[in-house]
Amino acid sequence: MAGDNMLKLGIPKGSLQDATIALFEKSGWKIRMHHRNYFPEINDPEITCSMCRAQEMSRYVESGTLDCGLTGKDWILENESDVVVVADLVYSKVSNRPARWVLAVAADSPYKRPEDLAGKKIATELCNFTKQYFSGAGIPVEVEFSWGATEAKVVEGLADAIVEVTETGTTIKAHGLRIISDLLSTNTQLIANKKAWEDPFKRRKIEILNMMLQGALRAEGLVGLKMNVPEEKMPAIMALLPSLTAPTVANLYNKDWLSVEIVVTEGIVRDLIPKLHDLGAEGIIEYALNKVI
Amino acid sequence: MAGDNMLKLGIPKGSLQDATIALFEKSGWKIRMHHRNYFPEINDPEITCSMCRAQEMSRYVESGTLDCGLTGKDWILENESDVVVVADLVYSKVSNRPARWVLAVAADSPYKRPEDLAGKKIATELCNFTKQYFSGAGIPVEVEFSWGATEAKVVEGLADAIVEVTETGTTIKAHGLRIISDLLSTNTQLIANKKAWEDPFKRRKIEILNMMLQGALRAEGLVGLKMNVPEEKMPAIMALLPSLTAPTVANLYNKDWLSVEIVVTEGIVRDLIPKLHDLGAEGIIEYALNKVI
Amino acid sequence: MAGDNMLKLGIPKGSLQDATIALFEKSGWKIRMHHRNYFPEINDPEITCSMCRAQEMSRYVESGTLDCGLTGKDWILENESDVVVVADLVYSKVSNRPARWVLAVAADSPYKRPEDLAGKKIATELCNFTKQYFSGAGIPVEVEFSWGATEAKVVEGLADAIVEVTETGTTIKAHGLRIISDLLSTNTQLIANKKAWEDPFKRRKIEILNMMLQGALRAEGLVGLKMNVPEEKMPAIMALLPSLTAPTVANLYNKDWLSVEIVVTEGIVRDLIPKLHDLGAEGIIEYALNKVI
Amino acid sequence: MAGDNMLKLGIPKGSLQDATIALFEKSGWKIRMHHRNYFPEINDPEITCSMCRAQEMSRYVESGTLDCGLTGKDWILENESDVVVVADLVYSKVSNRPARWVLAVAADSPYKRPEDLAGKKIATELCNFTKQYFSGAGIPVEVEFSWGATEAKVVEGLADAIVEVTETGTTIKAHGLRIISDLLSTNTQLIANKKAWEDPFKRRKIEILNMMLQGALRAEGLVGLKMNVPEEKMPAIMALLPSLTAPTVANLYNKDWLSVEIVVTEGIVRDLIPKLHDLGAEGIIEYALNKVI
Amino acid sequence: MAGDNMLKLGIPKGSLQDATIALFEKSGWKIRMHHRNYFPEINDPEITCSMCRAQEMSRYVESGTLDCGLTGKDWILENESDVVVVADLVYSKVSNRPARWVLAVAADSPYKRPEDLAGKKIATELCNFTKQYFSGAGIPVEVEFSWGATEAKVVEGLADAIVEVTETGTTIKAHGLRIISDLLSTNTQLIANKKAWEDPFKRRKIEILNMMLQGALRAEGLVGLKMNVPEEKMPAIMALLPSLTAPTVANLYNKDWLSVEIVVTEGIVRDLIPKLHDLGAEGIIEYALNKVI
Amino acid sequence: MAGDNMLKLGIPKGSLQDATIALFEKSGWKIRMHHRNYFPEINDPEITCSMCRAQEMSRYVESGTLDCGLTGKDWILENESDVVVVADLVYSKVSNRPARWVLAVAADSPYKRPEDLAGKKIATELCNFTKQYFSGAGIPVEVEFSWGATEAKVVEGLADAIVEVTETGTTIKAHGLRIISDLLSTNTQLIANKKAWEDPFKRRKIEILNMMLQGALRAEGLVGLKMNVPEEKMPAIMALLPSLTAPTVANLYNKDWLSVEIVVTEGIVRDLIPKLHDLGAEGIIEYALNKVI
């Protein structure tokens, strides 16, 4: 059966789409969108791609329409989908703060805690999750589905509180709101259909996908550093280097110098280089990495 | 004479322009377009650059107005130009399908093969080539030059068939057409004037250009891979590595491990890394390459 | 006191802003602009960032409102600010021509030298510097502050000459003007407040900033080159290599070949590679560098 | 109480927004959107404006959050809102075809009528209405809420049919679909809260709003026509003129000619003018109208 | 036969398209372009519209594929089409200079007159016309079809002269060229197929089209002027008014004043109003006109 | 002398430019900007146009480089220019609030009145005016020229207060500032050189310009209203009509009705029409006006 050797992969449409396609390219798979064509092309004969809204992805993975897909943890929970969560995919951004769904009220309102909202109206795109949260907490509220622009609803007098996603809270505050509780922290996840996960071919394929995606994500925060070091300074230099991986050392041609090469976190380079320089390292170069496994 | 030490190079205007300038930059030559200036600046005192439509390039190379240039094989044939084809320059894209000129008819028309079009009207931008194709096949047709938007001509009732360029056929199909024959597969070529090719200075210069352009193009499909390998696993790892070039091996400082570095096709990395990982390779990193000669 | 361990850094707004933020990112500091927030975020707890117009930067560094900042040499002179010039930061561009303030007149006017402008009206944004230049030369002129679009003033009949900044002179010529004198060559400089420069913490911090900024700028013009060389060809190859830094040499696994790695100026690669190739070097690869210290 | 002399008006966000604001401007009310302000400003001290999604408007009018508002008939039905429908507001467009919600299936599917979809899955944004339609017809189907890009769902294999809004059907066809039934014809309506409609101040205000909106809409399809007519041709001309309103007639200064002025449907002008011209009318001019009451 | 009561009208694609559709709208016909549909919709059951490149229009009108169409006089001549020229349609623009095809050479070349180009190469998009022009003048030249960017050809050394269209000559001069001769003045024309012109239904329809198009074009340069005049000033005012059409005069209610209304050229209003004002006219208003027949 | 019959008019560059050119077009003069040409074309042989920054306009009018020009009252005062202010030109906008220069401080600062700023630093683009204001009030302050983004200076800690232009104060508040005093209310003015104002030709020309500009500005807030009224309702209707100008009344053909036509303020139409309608007026139409003198 054809399906046995073919993995059906779901790519999220919309806000995650460009970042996802860029990550796959770094990982070794080129995905090409065609205008007016629903199935993006991928350069792997063992995979077929589909575009799918993040909100709906887990449904299609659960039903087996797709074998695996990328989507947010929030929407998996909202859909109560029974799927295998293979791994978290934490896209590196300037801010390392995760996206989170928060409960927010008018800044000048008297509400301080979720229980203060008993009997009130809450607008959100994440209805199901929100209902469960409040019923689990024994707080009776009216949860109303919002078609968007949710942040405006409280100020417009259309809801008493909202449950909305945010990273820094800036947009929430800009709408005159105050966050009173964090309900859910979310990030992208790679999920698989339960039956597909039992199929050896599909599972191996998904695991390779995951290894390469993780390798590409890890490389975003790391760089290669190479320098020439006088042999007698080697112990001091070695003591300074972070122990992430063993450095690669080679002899320079006709000289009592060594070549040292390491992989380090990009963030420490600006502190490390001045110290290496002070200890006598020369010809220090830094270069970018595509993947680190 | 000044011309003796000066190469006149033609850069194609239009759809190939940005890709060509980017390729030259990767190859070591910066070309700078000036608003309202016909001759782009190039940072090599032995070259003068001209912009030229791809359709007309081979004419000017044939006549000696230019010593060499880049253009499509299709337009060289259309112009029946007598030039030296120095090399193919296959720009790497997501799709590896070459551009091709196809014969297309209305999807719901009865035409199945070129000979079914005897006596019919065919619209195309590649008139000369198309006429020769049909007369060579002994099929009498009326070939009409199209000023553009050729795909629409059949549906508009203005032609019975078209000859048009396409990569995937998507646009053709989107216009309600059906491809019945592939007439010509095309790609970019570096061409030279016959007399310039006999001039030692110009030939050497063109060959260096070609070597660097090919080096930059080749690098697009290749990456560097570096890893640490336990000495006893070396034979198994070596057996796995593609024999493209010999790997560079060095000893790790105070350890029974080796550092192994190779250049491989980007496309196989996603298959190779999991196997290397299974065999015990550690600290695998992948990095990008500018040129591979 | 908090200020003792905190460096107040000024980033120039406007035309230099994007290039400056990109350079800091390459150097190891991520600066993030917030909509409607005056103080950009920087991922270093020992630095606070402020945005400042390049024209006003040196005033605030002189007064100690800022400890250090980046701005143009021209505006430091215009403001006659008493600050420490730590280093020049020469951003690499296609053109290596420095920006310069020139004295320009109508192309068809009789003026040939600055002294021909005695008694005339000169429009410029660099009023103070221009007044000093002419009074130093003993030439009486009327200098008038221009609110912008200065190049048009001569043709519009609103001034007899202008003092304006240019790189190639193209815009000057396009407005029908002729340059009769270069008054000042300018570039970006890192400047420090005199008292901050005496503070050991701040000075060390500024010096590290400078080392990393310089390392990132230097890397823009350099590339790494790696190749395999037969051992007997080594002397000839070595003779060819530029002596910038000593090459790193290692033995290839089970072969009489050496791996040679060097850092060279990007501009000579296109000449160097063909020669290395002729001498027997193989598997030549070129890769990009983030920093070179 | 302040509310007694204040009308709360809802303006639809999104696709209807610009057309609505333009219509109000023509009608005599200037509505000004403020960036980051939820309540648009309106130059009438007796009205407060709110922005509201068309999908949600009728809910807020029903509940009295708003006294009146503009929205689509479709969303009023979807919400089963108990409101007063004051008037239809038929915005004039090039096409006079009303927007309609249609049932569409894959062009190459076997489904011909709604009943052929028994047991099938239908995707739509108009869930409630669609469920009622099918249950009213006694056809058991599964109706699934679609988050958008509904037209693509059938080709993507995610639904058997869709219910979607269209004017000309072009987009439906472009997605490879075939319309098998029209379920609902819709247009913009001015609706009022039942209690507000009983309040004399609010009702008078809503009726004035409606009179002016209708006057502006009517003017879009009408023009003024003015011409000079010889007195003896007057009966023939009068017989030709449409009887919409009585023409205004005046005598020309010192001549046996009359000036005739009428208001006519723009669409008939191209037929009417040639006939008037044939009958001897001269100096025929046409001018635009802002309002016609 | 259906064709008997249906007029097939061609609308030019490209640079004339928007202006043409706007003119038809002013004239009483709304044309609506559909994305991915080749036949624009027109709100007249007796007309079918087709889009057609201006360059190809006259061919299709000549062959009867279209009954009539709008295109440039230049392309009708280029195609040597045997069609009926119904009328010139002179679109009013800021500049009243007609477009013209000119013969241009390098500004610093020795060529002064067409005959100086004997034996030279001329590039143009208007090949056929250019060949006839030179052969008619007995001047042997080589005429070469240009794919566009013709102005650049001379400076690029690809042609000795060009024949190109221009309004003000500005672009020609900006490319370093000098005009040595005007070959053809052109404007938009309404053309008809010869057989269609004999068909009474089609001819009447084309004539009505022409009357309304001319009426809308004429209105662009005219405005309505209305004022109140004391009866005794009437002779002086009348003497001042241009005699284009007789003014419409009516009595003001219970006053010895007259209301005077005229249609005048927009360009004279700024001179006329001050004079009317000086003579005692009051309440002078100016309003726009859609059509003047 | 040429100048005797030629008026040199200055048009402000920048934020006022488009509105000014549009106003001149409504007034009867078409001004056409040419790319790379300093002198815009105007369709009046007695006027030459120049573009000039609003900040510098009054300098050139004072010196006679220009005869007249449009600029802001604020910059005339800043430059202390000795010119004739011909008239105010109040462009109609949604908001009728005039632009004003205000003194603003940090919202949370203790400053309440200008005198609280004694000894403080004030940043502004209107240096000269600000210095005079404070010295006139006997308050010693340091005024510093701001190169732009002045609103940010207080929050950035670079100034204690600012003097900046605003209409509604929204931007000021959005930057966390509080207005403590209005220093100057400003609007566009038409100014003339003193000598040009004595020249009869130039003065007449400027007065005509002014009359037409005022006429076009006035028309923006007015509309024409025309209706049919039964003769016996005439007194009641007349009592209702605003007395701006006498209405134009004519008899309807063969009926006991009158045609009444008036010019009224656009803003009252929505109140007036319902009343006219209640009194029996029929066929009420409203139309736009280009000019009202």
Side-chain angles (χ1 to χ4, degrees), chain B residues 172-187:
Chain B
I172 297 284
K173 270 170 230 148
H175 281 80
L177 301 179
R178 179 166 38 86
I179 295 174
I180 58 172
S181 186
D182 273 32
L183 306 197
L184 171 64
S185 177
T186 187
N187 56 254

Side-chain angles (χ1 to χ4, degrees), chain C residues 160-286:
Chain C
D160 300 298
I162 64 164
V163 171
E164 181 57 341
V165 72
T166 185
E167 272 184 49
T168 61
T170 306
T171 307
I172 297 284
K173 270 170 231 148
H175 281 79
L177 301 179
R178 178 166 39 85
I179 295 173
I180 61 172
S181 186
D182 274 32
L183 305 197
L184 171 64
S185 177
T186 188
N187 56 253
T188 303
Q189 293 186 322
L190 174 62
I191 57 174
N193 174 272
K194 292 207 147 175
K195 228 166 135 186
W197 193 243
E198 297 308 314
D199 176 315
F201 165 80
K202 291 185 177 177
R203 184 166 185 160
R204 169 74 177 159
K205 196 81 197 174
I206 294 169
E207 284 171 344
I208 288 177
L209 263 182
N210 188 37
M211 179 190 284
M212 302 308 283
L213 291 169
Q214 300 290 355
L217 281 173
R218 200 176 298 120
E220 287 183 5
L222 301 174
V223 290
L225 222 52
K226 201 181 288 192
M227 71 207 79
N228 297 332
V229 175
E231 201 152 19
E232 77 275 14
K233 299 285 174 56
M234 200 58 194
I237 298 272
M238 286 300 282
L240 193 64
L241 296 182
S243 60
L244 206 83
T245 59
T248 305
V249 180
N251 291 295
L252 288 199
Y253 190 70
N254 289 340
K255 277 185 94 176
D256 287 340
W257 287 62
L258 298 170
S259 159
V260 179
E261 186 161 6
I262 51 169
V263 170
V264 297
T265 308
E266 192 181 8
I268 68 159
V269 168
R270 67 191 193 205
D271 295 323
L272 188 59
I273 285 184
K275 291 177 192 159
L276 292 170
H277 188 254
D278 287 354
L279 282 174
E282 290 190 2
I284 308 173
I285 64 170
E286 180 198 309

Side-chain angles (χ1 to χ4, degrees), chain F residues 275-291:
Chain F
K275 291 176 193 160
L276 292 170
H277 188 254
D278 287 356
L279 281 175
E282 290 189 4
I284 307 173
I285 64 171
E286 179 198 312
Y287 58 94
L289 299 170
N290 286 352
K291 289 195 193 75

Side-chain angles (χ1 to χ4, degrees), chain C residues 30-204:
Chain C
K30 291 186 188 174
I31 295 172
R32 190 190 195 184
M33 305 300 303
H34 291 292
H35 183 59
R36 294 228 161 268
N37 190 345
Y38 312 99
F39 302 103
E41 198 179 306
I42 187 165
N43 64 345
D44 186 330
E46 297 177 341
I47 301 180
T48 57
C49 262
S50 299
M51 301 302 297
C52 211
R53 293 188 75 92
Q55 294 96 330
E56 303 173 344
M57 179 74 75
S58 69
R59 277 198 226 152
Y60 298 120
V61 171
E62 183 181 14
S63 71
T65 304
L66 300 171
D67 292 322
C68 66
L70 282 77
T71 185
K73 183 180 158 190
D74 40 7
W75 295 107
I76 303 167
L77 291 173
E78 172 71 6
N79 291 329
E80 298 179 87
S81 299
D82 188 23
V83 295
V84 180
V85 175
V86 179
D88 287 288
L89 292 168
V90 185
Y91 292 34
S92 100
K93 294 199 199 159
V94 173
S95 136
N96 286 320
R97 299 175 200 142
R100 57 206 168 102
W101 288 83
V102 299
L103 178 63
V105 297
D108 57 3
S109 76
Y111 313 123
K112 303 274 184 241
R113 295 157 309 165
E115 43 270 51
D116 297 343
L117 291 165
K120 301 298 175 187
K121 189 191 289 182
I122 299 176
T124 184
E125 288 185 75
L126 210 66
C127 263
N128 209 17
F129 173 85
T130 301
K131 281 175 187 163
Q132 283 177 12
Y133 171 86
F134 279 96
S135 93
I139 308 167
V141 295
E142 183 187 348
V143 177
E144 196 167 73
F145 177 67
S146 165
W147 284 85
T150 312
E151 292 96 338
K153 292 249 159 66
V154 172
V155 185
E156 289 170 338
L158 306 180
D160 300 298
I162 64 164
V163 171
E164 181 57 341
V165 72
T166 185
E167 272 184 49
T168 61
T170 306
T171 307
I172 297 284
K173 270 170 231 148
H175 281 79
L177 301 179
R178 178 166 39 85
I179 295 173
I180 61 172
S181 186
D182 274 32
L183 305 197
L184 171 64
S185 177
T186 188
N187 56 253
T188 303
Q189 293 186 322
L190 174 62
I191 57 174
N193 174 272
K194 292 207 147 175
K195 228 166 135 186
W197 193 243
E198 297 308 314
D199 176 315
F201 165 80
K202 291 185 177 177
R203 184 166 185 160
R204 169 74 177 159

Side-chain angles (χ1 to χ4, degrees), chain D residues 246-267:
Chain D
T248 304
V249 181
N251 292 296
L252 288 199
Y253 191 70
N254 291 339
K255 277 185 95 178
D256 287 339
W257 287 62
L258 299 170
S259 158
V260 178
E261 187 161 8
I262 49 169
V263 170
V264 297
T265 309
E266 194 181 6

